């Protein structure tokens, strides 16, 4: 199923051509929101900031879909022999052309401006619009939305003491139900994960399996999108040595990709490996409760791909081996791919920093 989160957003625009829909730029819409806030035009403040968030989501979906599509473009190599690094160079040239064509087509189809200033991207990634939006919602007597706006900002900026005080104030208001204060930018996998946990607590094993299976696929898709976002890199320290410059850029890219897993902290996890393993454990237990031992064995084998030395799961495997055939312990291909990629990236980063430390030591 094709699910790279390509989002089709219907937005009413102030200027509509008779031939095509023209969406305003993210930069301009964001600036209009700031201006409306400054002029205390609260309804316009909400309109512009919400629109800027929608437009940016659409922008990112186009860009990252193209990055994922072009990561392994199909092409007939013109390099017949793998001489030196020529095949690698060719792959980058082909990927570059693929990106240009894909993004040009995507932005033209959606009639959206393909350029955004770095400052605007930074503000949107740091969820700055919600600092304005909570005030605008408050002034429009929409306190539940104001509370969620504050919470949404705090997800990325947990140390903002003023916003912490604001959230406390909103939750104390009779109009606000603390259980309904949500992250307005929460991803599908976080929603499904909470549903799965609740189903598990209620001993609803079938519902737990359905929710947690969705979590696995949604999380992997989300992390792939996050990783694609890393291809927009800040300027790196350059060197007259080509290999040094390229190595620095690759290391920066890998660091960024590994940091995607840091965003799981809100759920109490510090790595995608640990998160996926825990989700698989819920699935394994639920299958066991339903006497579906073959599926439980497969889930156990997949868990052990991520955490091969887990003594409890190894004990579970021994139990299942008395109930099912050996071929039931089939590892999921998506989990195998995820685990190997994560392991190899960590090894590469270790190699990079080991080399940097050696260089620094020789320089002393």
């Amino acid at each position: 199923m094709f699910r790279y989160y390509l989002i089709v957003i219907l937005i009413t625009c102030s200027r509509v051509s008779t031939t095509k829909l023209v969406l305003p730029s993210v930069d301009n819409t964001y600036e209009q929101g700031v201006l409306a806030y400054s002029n205390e035009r609260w309804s316009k403040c909400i309109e512009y900031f919400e629109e800027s968030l929608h437009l940016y989501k659409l922008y990112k979906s186009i860009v990252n879909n193209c990055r994922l599509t072009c990561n392994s473009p199909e092409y007939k190599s013109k390099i017949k022999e793998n001489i030196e690094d020529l095949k690698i160079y060719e792959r980058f040239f082909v990927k570059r052309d693929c990106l240009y064509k894909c993004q040009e087509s995507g932005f033209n189809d959606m009639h959206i401006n393909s350029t955004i200033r770095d400052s605007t991207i930074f503000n949107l990634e740091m969820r700055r619009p919600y600092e304005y939006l909570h005030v605008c919602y408050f002034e429009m007597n929409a306190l539940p939305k104001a509370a969620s706006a504050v919470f949404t900002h705090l997800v990325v900026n947990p140390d903002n003491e003023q916003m912490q005080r604001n959230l406390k104030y909103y939750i104390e208001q009779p109009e606000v139900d603390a259980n309904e204060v949500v992250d307005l930018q929460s991803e599908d996998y976080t929603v499904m994960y909470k549903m799965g946990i609740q189903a598990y607590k209620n001993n609803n094993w079938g519902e737990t399996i359905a929710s947690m299976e969705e979590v696995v696929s949604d999380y992997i898709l989300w992390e792939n999108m996050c990783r694609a976002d890393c291809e927009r890199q800040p300027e790196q320290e350059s060197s007259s040595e080509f290999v040094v410059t390229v190595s620095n850029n690759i290391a920066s890219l890998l660091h960024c990709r590994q940091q995607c897993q840091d965003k799981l902290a809100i759920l109490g996890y510090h790595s995608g490996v640990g998160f996926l393993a825990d989700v698989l454990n819920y699935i394994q237990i639920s299958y066991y409760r339903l006497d579906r031992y073959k599926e439980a064995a497969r889930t156990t084998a997949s868990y052990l791909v991520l955490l091969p030395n887990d003594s409890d799961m190894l004990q579970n495997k021994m139990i299942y081996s008395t109930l099912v055939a050996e071929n039931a312990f089939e590892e999921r291909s998506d989990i195998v791919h995820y685990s190997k990629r994560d392991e190899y990236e960590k090894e590469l980063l270790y190699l990079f920093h080991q080399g940097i430390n050696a260089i620094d030591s020789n320089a002393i």
Side-chain angles (χ1 to χ4, degrees):
M1 180 172 60
F2 180 78
R3 288 190 60 199
Y4 277 159
Y5 288 4
L6 182 57
I7 303 156
V8 179
I9 301 172
L10 301 177
I11 301 175
T12 302
C13 301
S14 56
R15 296 188 300 275
V16 180
S17 166
T18 57
T19 57
K20 66 178 182 178
L21 178 68
V22 179
L23 299 180
S25 72
V26 179
D27 289 322
N28 182 63
T29 308
Y30 183 87
E31 289 168 357
Q32 289 295 320
V34 175
L35 183 61
Y37 175 87
S38 300
N39 293 332
E40 299 184 0
R41 298 166 63 208
W42 309 121
S43 63
K44 283 295 181 183
C45 163
I46 294 170
E47 177 185 334
Y48 284 125
F49 277 122
E50 286 185 346
E51 187 174 12
S52 70
L53 289 164
H54 284 306
L55 285 170
Y56 183 55
K57 199 170 186 179
L58 176 58
Y59 168 87
K60 285 185 68 173
S61 72
I62 294 170
V63 170
N64 288 337
N65 276 322
C66 287
R67 288 169 179 166
L68 290 170
T69 300
C70 296
N71 268 344
S72 299
E74 294 184 5
Y75 65 96
K76 187 175 181 179
S77 177
K78 298 182 182 300
I79 310 299
K80 303 304 180 183
E81 299 177 65
N82 193 17
I83 299 175
E84 297 182 354
D85 296 320
L86 294 181
K87 279 190 175 290
I88 297 175
Y89 300 155
E90 181 189 34
R91 182 174 182 275
F92 275 101
F93 291 163
V94 171
K95 182 176 178 179
R96 179 202 60 179
D97 292 342
C98 177
L99 281 172
Y100 281 143
K101 292 174 183 176
C102 180
Q103 291 184 10
E104 181 181 21
S105 174
F107 286 114
N108 286 340
D109 289 345
M110 291 296 175
H111 313 297
I112 182 174
N113 196 315
S114 63
T115 58
I116 305 180
R117 288 195 297 270
D118 287 343
S119 59
T120 303
I121 290 177
F122 177 79
N123 287 331
L124 289 163
E125 288 293 325
M126 296 304 293
R127 303 192 178 185
R128 285 293 306 278
Y130 296 102
E131 286 188 289
Y132 298 102
L133 274 170
H134 92 88
V135 177
C136 302
Y137 287 137
F138 173 82
E139 295 291 346
M140 296 296 290
N141 294 316
L143 297 191
K145 282 190 174 182
S148 288
V150 170
F151 180 76
T152 302
H153 179 78
L154 283 170
V155 169
V156 174
N157 305 276
D159 299 325
N160 188 323
E161 294 180 359
Q162 180 58 54
M163 294 296 271
Q164 290 174 4
R165 288 192 289 270
N166 289 338
L167 182 61
K168 183 175 183 296
Y169 166 80
Y170 286 128
I171 290 177
E172 290 173 349
Q173 304 311 302
E175 302 96 318
V176 179
D177 182 348
N179 294 321
E180 295 182 3
V181 176
V182 297
D183 177 4
L184 297 172
Q185 290 193 194
S186 62
E187 301 295 337
D188 289 348
Y189 77 88
T190 64
V191 176
M192 296 305 299
Y193 177 75
K194 292 173 182 176
M195 290 176 62
I197 293 294
Q198 189 59 49
Y200 182 84
K201 290 179 179 178
N202 294 333
N203 296 335
N204 293 331
W205 311 120
E207 191 176 322
T208 301
I209 292 168
S211 295
M212 290 306 192
E213 286 286 3
E214 191 75 14
V215 170
V216 173
S217 58
D218 282 351
Y219 174 72
I220 291 175
L221 283 171
W222 171 83
E223 190 175 315
N224 285 341
M225 291 296 282
C226 178
R227 291 164 61 84
D229 210 29
C230 290
E231 294 190 27
R232 181 187 177 91
Q233 285 285 302
E235 291 186 12
Q236 304 297 320
E237 182 178 349
S238 62
S239 167
S240 58
E241 290 290 340
F242 170 77
V243 171
V244 173
T245 300
V246 171
S247 296
N248 289 341
N249 277 275
I250 291 173
S252 177
L253 175 67
L254 294 179
H255 271 297
C256 180
R257 287 177 172 176
Q258 284 285 307
Q259 287 171 354
C260 286
Q261 300 182 42
D262 295 342
K263 298 179 182 181
L264 287 164
I266 189 173
L267 296 177
Y269 295 90
H270 300 292
S271 76
V273 169
F275 175 69
L276 286 172
D278 207 25
V279 171
L280 289 172
N281 190 37
Y282 283 112
I283 296 172
Q284 174 266 143
I285 293 172
S286 299
Y287 277 132
Y288 174 79
R289 295 287 188 175
L290 294 173
D291 297 331
R292 295 170 62 178
Y293 302 129
K294 185 175 181 180
E295 291 95 333
R298 181 171 183 262
T299 309
T300 296
S302 301
Y303 179 103
L304 289 170
V305 169
L306 298 169
L307 300 175
N309 299 318
D310 187 292
S311 58
D312 290 335
M313 198 58 70
L314 288 170
Q315 182 66 32
N316 288 343
K317 184 177 180 180
M318 289 180 62
I319 295 171
Y320 290 131
S321 65
T322 66
L323 301 170
V324 298
E326 182 63 29
N327 60 10
F329 293 95
E330 179 186 2
E331 300 162 348
R332 292 172 55 146
S333 59
D334 55 349
I335 298 299
V336 171
H337 175 82
Y338 183 91
S339 178
K340 286 184 176 180
R341 183 182 69 186
D342 187 67
E343 177 186 352
Y344 292 154
E345 284 184 353
K346 285 180 168 62
E347 288 181 2
L348 283 173
L349 285 170
Y350 176 77
L351 177 64
F352 175 81
H353 288 295
Q354 193 178 42
I356 291 293
N357 292 336
I359 292 170
D360 291 342
S361 298
N362 291 334
I364 295 175

